């Protein structure tokens, strides 16, 4: 016999509405505050070129962070994104140089990225390995294969048109920015308007209940990691195209941390089930503005990690209070 | 110290949220006796013991230990007075050694602050020897059988010089030979003058080990007596009471053809092969006590657990169910028990919870039509009388009864032929209970086949045409709804009686497998 304590009816008081507004849009409010503060602190900040610069710089991490959001909403994590980016880049450049076809290179990138994601998904869903462990393994393995193939160094593209992907503009807007925005819209629609997205939220919130509702939890999870792999390959294509080369040792290093940071700042819960794509979008922008500000104000690059770390912890503390 | 008794609780009263749970209950336990505390679910046994253990405080009444009146303010006070509480969920740490578990929180240390390992091991061995067992004190607890884990808890109680040990349904997790072992330990304890309060539903066990009994019903003391010379039927009557004749909800109507046919379904370690079938418009029930295996049976049928043997036919066709998705496709629906853990997705809003299992109904070119979702929700809101202001709040904001209605609506939208309800009225108030059962009956009238699982016999009797009683993973009886009485159900559920024909067969099958 348990005493029933929380038998309260749902109420729609003003206070609750306010807290709902805060919990849903706190990241946008934080973004606005930081944006306004930045524009006061440095006159060059509002410069259109600088704004474009920020967007350009965040686009690669942004695309990865979209995938990371989906993984984290499902209750997992993907540490392998940075290493997979390097591996995808290396193999794509080899394919590019071998075939001379840009389309073949991009397709190769997509296949390699999705395949790495698929392997992650199989390990997590079928092998029942904790996502942290499975993707940690993938992180080490993918980096190692990339180093082996490229002999530890960088490889450059030998087809002239390839670097145009990341270095062209459309009405003054760089392609990577456009791709980032398109990907954001795509993942937003996927997560909020389709069955797949609904299932991901359900699994992240209560896996057993999701399964008893007739959801193929394993298949959805495999889909989640494969999608992330695909998004990483999009990011890898941009990264490789930007300098027309990829470094097997340093490309993508610690990208997973930046992506996770953006997702957390964006308000997605570490344990899954709650969070928004739009939150991650603004989380990425917040990180970008902070980096940009510190550069404009000549903060030592060695101190920038400290500020980033501080922001992540502050963001989480605020979310805890709900 | 000349008293015969060790503890005396007098006229204990307790209410939660103004609902009285205990009404002037008294209990006296003598030195060196095993005292059975009996009653149905919700009779107030746990509350009474929690008061004795210092977890709750009584609103009125007195407690005396060894002739001195005491006030139990915290579990610690209770422990210092020599009372130990061994809960149903064991409180041992598997990854620590036996002696480490024994001394957890009260480690012996030398003057440098290091633990005195040898001394602790020696004391552990001494206490275990008192109970007639030899175990290596440096062995890990995780390697022990459940009964030995309980022994570690008992030993810990002895280490703290407990004179009264409360055991809450200790045999639920034990196999038969382990129960015997536990009883041996208990008998040894009794010889050393320690008293035990033994809470259990299983009358057979109580007959085997206990000296006296106290029965509670609906928070009231019903009787105390010596087990010697008392018939078990008499105790069952006391537990159930005679004033429970309420009207049956369900009416007899003609059934359609058989929808679900289950043959020799079993899951090793959970339940032995069972057979049953349901027809269109029929409501069948499964009931029993904790550990009877009925939930496992349904989870296996629904593809959540792996079956060991058996076949399932739906509408005459054999179906393979290896995942809840297959069950859903085959025409089964499940409203599971423990709503919070198994049924609701607390971060999704009410509408999204409703449509989760039938997303296909709301899709157009791959996108979800939120308008359609909303209008379906309105339909069920009227049909099932779901009360809420705003369906876009997360479902955990709703009361238990309304949550349950949403879960039921979720399955109605799927439209299964067979709907299974596991403990459908768990944690919902009386008014909503009635409503939920009325909805279930209406569904049966519409031609659905219904399976209900419940531990509460009165509920099962009110709504079922046919009742299967389970005991330790076997169906021990099948009773027609109108012939069922609580006494009858209880005697099959406690294992004190079993149907000769069917029950015997299952038992042999189970034995042959071992």
């Amino acid at each position: 016999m348990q005493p029933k304590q929380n038998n309260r009816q749902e109420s729609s008081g003003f206070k609750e509405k306010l807290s709902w507004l805060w919990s849903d849009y706190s990241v946008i409010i934080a973004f606005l505050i930081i944006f306004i503060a930045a524009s006061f602190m440095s006159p060059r900040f509002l410069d259109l070129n600088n704004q474009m610069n920020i967007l350009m710089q965040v686009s690669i991490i942004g695309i990865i962070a979209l995938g990371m959001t989906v993984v984290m909403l499902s209750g997992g994590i993907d540490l392998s994104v940075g290493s997979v980016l390097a591996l995808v880049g290396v193999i794509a450049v080899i394919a590019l140089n071998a075939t001379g076809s840009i389309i073949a290179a991009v397709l190769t990138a997509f296949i390699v990225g999705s395949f790495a994601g698929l392997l992650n998904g199989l390990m997590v869903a079928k092998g029942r390995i904790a996502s942290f462990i499975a993707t940690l393994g993938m992180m080490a393995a993918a980096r190692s294969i990339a180093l082996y193939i490229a002999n530890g160094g960088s490889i450059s593209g030998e087809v002239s048109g390839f670097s145009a992907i990341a270095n062209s503009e459309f009405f003054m807007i760089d392609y990577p920015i456009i791709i980032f925005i398109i990907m954001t819209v795509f993942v937003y629609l996927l997560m909020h308007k389709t069955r797949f997205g609904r299932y991901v939220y359900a699994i992240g919130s209560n896996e057993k209940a999701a399964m008893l509702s007739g959801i193929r939890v394993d298949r959805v999870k495999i889909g989640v990691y494969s999608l992330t792999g695909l998004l990483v390959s999009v990011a890898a294509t941009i990264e490789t195209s930007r300098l027309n080369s990829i470094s097997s040792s340093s490309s993508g290093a610690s990208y997973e941390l930046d992506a996770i940071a953006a997702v957390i700042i964006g308000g997605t819960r570490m344990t899954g089930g709650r969070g928004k794509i739009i939150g991650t979008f603004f989380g990425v922008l917040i990180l970008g503005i902070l980096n940009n500000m510190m550069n404009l104000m000549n903060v030592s690059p060695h101190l920038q990690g400290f500020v980033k770390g501080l922001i992540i912890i502050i963001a989480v503390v605020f979310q805890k209070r709900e | 110290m000349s008293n015969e008794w060790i503890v005396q609780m007098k006229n204990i009263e307790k209410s939660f949220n103004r609902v009285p749970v205990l009404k002037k209950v008294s209990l006296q336990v003598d030195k060196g006796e095993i005292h059975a505390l009996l009653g149905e679910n919700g009779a107030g046994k746990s509350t009474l013991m929690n008061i004795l253990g210092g977890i709750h405080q009584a609103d009125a009444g007195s407690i005396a230990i060894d002739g001195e009146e005491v006030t139990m303010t915290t579990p610690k006070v209770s422990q210092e007075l020599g009372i130990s509480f061994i809960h149903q969920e064991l409180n041992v740490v598997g990854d620590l050694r036996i002696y480490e578990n024994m001394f957890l929180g009260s480690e012996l240390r030398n003057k440098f602050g290091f633990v005195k390992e040898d001394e602790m091991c020696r004391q552990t061995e001494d206490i275990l020897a008192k109970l007639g067992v030899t175990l290596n004190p440096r062995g890990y607890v995780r390697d022990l059988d459940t009964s030995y884990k309980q022994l570690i808890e008992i030993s810990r109680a002895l280490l703290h010089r407990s004179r009264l040990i409360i055991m809450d349904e200790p045999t639920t997790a034990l196999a038969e030979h382990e129960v015997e072992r536990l009883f041996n330990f208990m008998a040894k304890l009794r010889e050393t003058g320690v008293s035990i309060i033994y809470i259990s539903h299983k009358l057979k066990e109580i007959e085997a080990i206990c000296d006296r009994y106290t029965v509670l019903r609906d928070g009231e003391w019903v009787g105390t007596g010596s087990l010697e010379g008392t018939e078990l039927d008499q105790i069952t009557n006391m537990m159930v009471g005679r004033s429970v004749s309420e009207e049956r909800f369900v009416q007899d109507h003609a059934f359609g053809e058989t929808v679900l046919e289950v043959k020799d379904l079993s899951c090793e370690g959970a339940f032995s092969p069972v057979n049953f079938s349901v027809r269109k418009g029929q409501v069948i029930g499964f009931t029993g006590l904790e550990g009877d295996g009925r939930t496992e049976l349904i989870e296996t049928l629904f593809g959540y657990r792996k079956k060991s043997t058996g076949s399932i036919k739906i509408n005459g066709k054999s179906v393979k169910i290896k995942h809840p998705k297959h069950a859903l496709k085959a025409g089964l629906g499940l409203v599971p028990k423990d709503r919070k853990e198994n049924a609701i997705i607390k971060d999704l809003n009410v509408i999204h919870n409703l449509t989760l299992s039938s997303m296909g109904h709301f899709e157009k070119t791959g996108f979800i039509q939120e308008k359609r979702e909303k209008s379906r929700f309105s339909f069920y809101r009227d049909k099932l009388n779901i009360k809420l202001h705003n369906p876009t709040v997360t479902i955990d904001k709703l009361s238990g009864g309304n949550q349950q209605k949403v879960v039921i609506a979720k399955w109605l939208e799927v439209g299964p032929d067979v709907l299974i309800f596991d403990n459908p009225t768990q944690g919902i108030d009386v008014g909503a209970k009635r409503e939920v059962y009325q909805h279930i009956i209406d569904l049966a009238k519409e031609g659905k086949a219904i399976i209900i699982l419940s531990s509460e016999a009165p509920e099962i009797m009110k709504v079922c045409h046919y009742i299967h009683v389970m005991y330790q993973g076997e169906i021990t009886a099948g009773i027609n709804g109108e012939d069922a009485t609580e006494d009858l159900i209880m005697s099959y559920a406690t294992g004190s009686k079993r149907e000769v024909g069917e029950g015997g067969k299952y038992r042999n099958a189970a034995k042959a497998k071992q």
Side-chain angles (χ1 to χ4, degrees), chain B residues 41-60:
Chain B
N41 292 334
K45 294 169 301 195
S46 306
T47 312
L48 186 67
M49 287 304 103
N50 282 336
I51 288 171
L52 187 56
I55 298 163
H56 295 317
Q57 271 73 55
D59 298 337

Side-chain angles (χ1 to χ4, degrees), chain B residues 242-254:
Chain B
R242 255 147 293 218
S243 56
V244 279
S245 59
E246 276 185 63
E247 91 278 29
R248 267 160 61 76
F249 268 67
V250 72
Q251 287 138 23
D252 287 316
H253 50 90

Side-chain angles (χ1 to χ4, degrees), chain B residues 86-119:
Chain B
I86 297 178
H87 294 269
Q88 221 169 326
E89 303 84 33
L90 288 178
N91 204 1
V92 289
V93 186
D95 291 331
L96 290 182
R97 297 167 199 277
I98 291 176
Y99 80 87
E100 287 171 330
N101 264 289
M102 292 274 293
F103 284 87
L104 198 60
S106 57
E107 289 82 359
L108 304 177
R109 280 172 296 181
N110 62 22
K111 60 187 172 198
F112 301 112
F114 294 115
V115 291
K116 291 197 265 184
E117 199 180 317
D118 291 333
E119 172 68 12

Side-chain angles (χ1 to χ4, degrees), chain A residues 1-2, chain B residues 39-42 45-46 88-89 168-174 199-203 205 239 270 286-296 337-338 422-423 426 454-457 469-474 489-490 492-495:
Chain A
M1 169 95 196
Q2 263 130 20
Chain B
E40 296 195 292
N41 292 334
K45 294 169 301 195
S46 306
Q88 221 169 326
E89 303 84 33
D168 190 356
E169 303 207 28
T171 58
T172 335
L174 298 186
I199 304 176
S200 177
H201 286 295
K202 297 177 186 164
L203 292 176
E205 293 178 356
M239 284 164 67
F286 284 86
T287 187
L289 302 168
E290 199 72 36
D292 59 358
R294 63 177 186 279
T295 295
E296 289 80 0
K337 71 168 182 181
D338 298 333
D422 192 354
N423 225 350
Q426 186 181 23
S454 174
S455 57
E456 290 178 36
V469 186
M470 290 186 72
Y471 172 67
Q472 294 190 344
E474 296 169 41
I489 290 176
M490 203 49 134
Y492 285 116
T494 50

Side-chain angles (χ1 to χ4, degrees), chain B residues 262-276:
Chain B
V262 174
K263 264 214 175 110
D264 291 325
L265 187 68
S266 77
C267 172
E268 233 177 311
F271 60 93
S272 322
V274 296
N275 293 289
F276 64 91

